Amino acid sequence: MKKSVFMLGVCLCLCSLVYAADGQPDKRRMAQYQALEKQRQELLAWPHEHVGAPYWSGQKRLNQAKKIRSQMYTQFQDVELWRIGRLQQKIKTLKKGLKDLPFFPFNSLPSQNLAAMAQNDMLLLMLLEVYPDNAANIPADELLPFLAEDEHLEKYLADYVDYLESYRQFPECVEKMDAYNQNQIKFATGNRRVNKRLMAALAAGCQKYARQQKEQKQMELNRAKLAQSIRLWQNENKKKKTDSFPFLWGKASVWP
């Protein structure tokens, strides 16, 4: 009996993991996870919002944020696996139609090669740092412990998705981004072991450029709509005047 109950529990856990990989976890779990994430982000933002506060008070909140992150990966593995699955699908989708990506060329390896490399933590991390598109082909449950352990790797892959998405929409963003991020790229490319800094600059610069282009396009669209509305109003106003006072707009009458 005990063995049957144990096996049932194992099956339920496995089913929950499959459900997390294929679909969003239930609303209650998501709400609890999002509440923790909101609390974590507030703790991370506190030192920046209180620059004059004592150093120890900022560090205390940063340590609390780390504990919450660890709690999220421990207690909400179903949500984390779902998030990893979404990130992987985004990489696969955004790569389609792109021949290459500046600074981070595509080099996805077969799943069996990645499975072998996953046995060596250092080797896999080195591969992901140079060719982050491989993250899309590593089973989510194998990638999970690496992300749980390394917050910088998690941000690195998130930046990669942001960079991919912006570059796909505006390939010129790398050359035309703002001067600050251009300088960050120059510094990073001059120092071989700072790929994370390079990725952060590419993501920030291309996102900013994409946002500016979208805002400019929206402004042009708004101006065009306004001009069209003014023309319609003028035509309608002219028509009303013509209908009300036809003698002002028609040919001059000939008086007897």
Side-chain angles (χ1 to χ4, degrees):
M1 179 67 180
K2 289 183 179 179
K3 185 177 181 181
S4 299
V5 172
F6 173 75
M7 291 303 296
L8 177 60
V10 171
C11 289
L12 288 173
C13 289
L14 290 174
C15 289
S16 67
L17 292 181
V18 171
Y19 175 70
D22 295 337
Q24 182 172 330
D26 67 80
K27 293 182 179 179
R28 181 183 61 84
R29 296 279 294 169
M30 287 298 295
Q32 292 173 341
Y33 180 91
Q34 289 166 356
L36 282 175
E37 177 62 14
K38 182 175 181 293
Q39 184 181 354
R40 188 176 79 92
Q41 291 299 331
E42 289 173 352
L43 289 168
L44 290 173
W46 194 91
H48 301 286
E49 295 170 352
H50 302 78
V51 180
Y55 173 79
W56 63 266
S57 59
Q59 283 300 118
K60 178 181 177 181
R61 286 165 175 80
L62 293 179
N63 290 334
Q64 288 174 342
K66 288 181 180 180
K67 290 180 180 178
I68 290 175
R69 183 178 183 274
S70 178
Q71 177 187 351
M72 292 164 72
Y73 269 96
T74 303
Q75 298 179 5
F76 293 88
Q77 285 195 4
D78 55 335
V79 181
E80 296 295 355
L81 285 169
W82 172 74
R83 289 179 65 245
I84 292 172
R86 287 189 68 195
L87 180 139
Q88 292 177 318
Q89 188 55 50
K90 277 188 175 182
I91 293 174
K92 292 177 182 178
T93 301
L94 292 169
K95 274 183 61 179
K96 289 179 181 178
L98 286 179
K99 293 182 179 180
D100 211 345
L101 187 69
F103 298 103
F104 291 95
F106 301 135
N107 186 36
S108 293
L109 296 178
S111 299
Q112 58 269 25
N113 292 35
L114 291 171
M117 296 183 76
Q119 304 305 313
N120 186 315
D121 293 2
M122 187 64 67
L123 186 61
L124 185 65
L125 289 172
M126 286 176 62
L127 175 72
L128 288 176
E129 187 171 343
V130 180
Y131 301 111
D133 59 313
N134 282 289
N137 298 325
I138 300 172
D141 58 339
E142 292 182 16
L143 191 56
L144 180 89
F146 288 96
L147 297 179
E149 182 69 23
D150 191 344
E151 187 174 358
H152 297 294
L153 177 62
E154 183 181 35
K155 183 180 184 303
Y156 186 63
L157 294 180
D159 285 341
Y160 180 64
V161 170
D162 290 338
Y163 174 35
L164 255 177
E165 188 170 21
S166 300
Y167 180 82
R168 184 180 179 85
Q169 294 176 322
F170 302 97
E172 71 277 13
C173 69
V174 176
E175 290 83 18
K176 296 184 178 180
M177 68 174 64
D178 62 294
Y180 174 78
N181 285 299
Q182 285 280 11
N183 289 333
Q184 291 295 307
I185 291 172
K186 288 179 183 177
F187 174 82
T189 51
N191 297 268
R192 292 184 179 182
R193 298 187 61 82
V194 287
N195 277 352
K196 290 183 174 64
R197 184 167 182 174
L198 172 60
M199 188 73 80
L202 288 165
C206 279
Q207 275 191 312
K208 183 177 180 180
Y209 179 83
R211 186 168 55 252
Q212 290 172 339
Q213 294 304 304
K214 289 175 183 177
E215 289 173 355
Q216 183 177 344
K217 187 176 181 180
Q218 187 60 49
M219 287 175 62
E220 291 173 356
L221 184 62
N222 291 341
R223 282 196 293 265
K225 286 182 178 179
L226 179 60
Q228 184 181 16
S229 297
I230 291 173
R231 284 195 300 270
L232 289 173
W233 177 81
Q234 288 174 334
N235 291 337
E236 185 65 25
N237 195 42
K238 183 177 180 180
K239 186 176 181 299
K240 287 180 180 179
K241 289 182 178 180
T242 303
D243 294 341
S244 301
F245 306 99
F247 60 88
L248 293 177
W249 306 97
K251 292 183 179 180
S253 302
V254 180
W255 291 88

